Amino acid sequence: MPMLHAQALTKSYTMGDQTVHALRGVSLSIESGEFVAIMGASGSGKSTLMNILGCLDQPTGGTYALDGQAVESLRPDALAALRNRSIGFVFQQFNLLPRTSALENVELPMVYAGVRAAERRARALAALERVGLAARAAHTPAELSGGQQQRVAIARALVNAPRLILADEPTGALDSQTSDDIMRLLATLNAQGMTVVLVTHEHDVAAWARRRIVFRDGLIQEDRAQPGRPEATALEARP
């Protein structure tokens, strides 16, 4: 069974007297352990699809199942619980709370999940260690570089042990060297078994993935396998 399975997804918005068709019947499946890049121009439908895959929005038509669970049948509280349990989100602008430490930012999803304070701290520290930032746990976002802030955001995405990372333009606010560092981290997580789906408009970022899906006018224009960057392939070859 695919981890993500969408069938004939449509999404329409009404803007004044105009109807915008963001998705026009999109079907795709993503298996556990895949590393997928979704590309397309602004308005192509890629971000709309990402919001539906992340259970942040509902389609107008069609069906979507996450880990075999039909998402459109879930009540809002059940949908939020599924999202918190199964998906880790990484965004372009990091979305960190500015006045709280890296550790407290990483703890936040566990607060919503009702995890006790001692366990929250231990798991948050372990997640920061995993992304190489345990030594910066007490620092606020203002005391961290952009790349470090994104690593905190990735640690936050990992802390509830999701099976899926959804990353929306995760390197869009970073310089090229820092972008490579973040993509190497995502490739490492994928090599360890994490499913990674990212939206990007940058071809050098998409090159890290092993599958590329290109959107145009609300439809999939291209869906093909690709070799991935040599660094990512080397990570997969490690015992």
Side-chain angles (χ1 to χ4, degrees):
M1 181 182 297
M3 175 176 283
L4 308 176
H5 181 67
Q7 186 68 37
L9 290 181
T10 62
K11 183 66 178 181
S12 300
Y13 302 95
T14 300
M15 302 177 66
D17 60 352
Q18 300 289 321
T19 299
V20 176
H21 300 284
L23 296 177
R24 299 172 179 267
V26 171
S27 298
L28 81 160
S29 293
I30 296 175
E31 302 290 337
S32 178
E34 282 201 80
F35 190 170
V36 181
I38 299 176
M39 302 192 72
S42 178
S44 63
K46 63 185 188 301
S47 293
T48 300
L49 176 70
M50 182 69 93
N51 287 336
I52 293 172
L53 296 183
C55 304
L56 298 171
D57 197 6
Q58 294 273 18
T60 304
T63 61
Y64 170 50
L66 172 60
D67 266 343
Q69 175 71 60
V71 169
E72 61 272 8
S73 66
L74 296 179
R75 295 172 59 87
D77 55 344
L79 194 62
L82 176 65
R83 192 166 54 234
N84 194 44
R85 179 178 69 251
S86 300
I87 306 172
F89 293 93
V90 181
F91 300 100
Q92 178 177 345
Q93 297 300 331
F94 320 135
N95 289 0
L96 301 177
L97 298 178
R99 294 182 176 85
T100 59
S101 68
L103 181 68
E104 291 165 327
N105 269 286
V106 175
E107 285 184 295
L108 194 59
M110 294 182 288
V111 174
Y112 296 141
V115 178
R116 293 178 180 273
E119 184 181 349
R120 287 202 309 265
R121 179 180 176 84
R123 284 168 56 180
L125 283 170
L128 286 169
E129 178 71 35
R130 193 172 180 184
V131 301
L133 274 185
R136 310 285 283 178
H139 292 255
T140 64
E143 298 170 319
L144 301 173
S145 68
Q148 289 172 332
Q149 289 183 61
Q150 192 61 293
R151 285 176 178 270
V152 173
I154 292 172
R156 180 184 59 194
L158 294 173
V159 77
N160 275 339
R163 296 183 59 213
L164 170 67
I165 293 288
L166 292 180
D168 192 356
E169 299 284 2
T171 64
L174 305 173
D175 62 72
S176 58
Q177 180 57 58
T178 307
S179 294
D180 275 357
D181 291 342
I182 293 301
M183 291 309 302
R184 189 172 291 105
L185 174 56
L186 290 175
T188 299
L189 295 171
N190 176 249
Q192 293 169 352
M194 183 76 67
T195 305
V196 179
V197 180
L198 67 91
V199 163
T200 182
H201 66 276
E202 300 176 51
H203 289 275
D204 56 340
V205 170
W208 285 86
R210 302 302 298 271
R211 178 180 173 190
R212 184 182 302 217
I213 299 172
V214 180
F215 270 76
R216 182 175 182 181
D217 297 331
L219 292 167
I220 294 176
Q221 183 182 44
E222 177 184 317
D223 184 350
R224 63 178 175 86
Q226 60 181 25
R229 283 270 291 264
E231 300 95 318
T233 305
L235 289 167
E236 291 179 357
R238 289 179 182 175

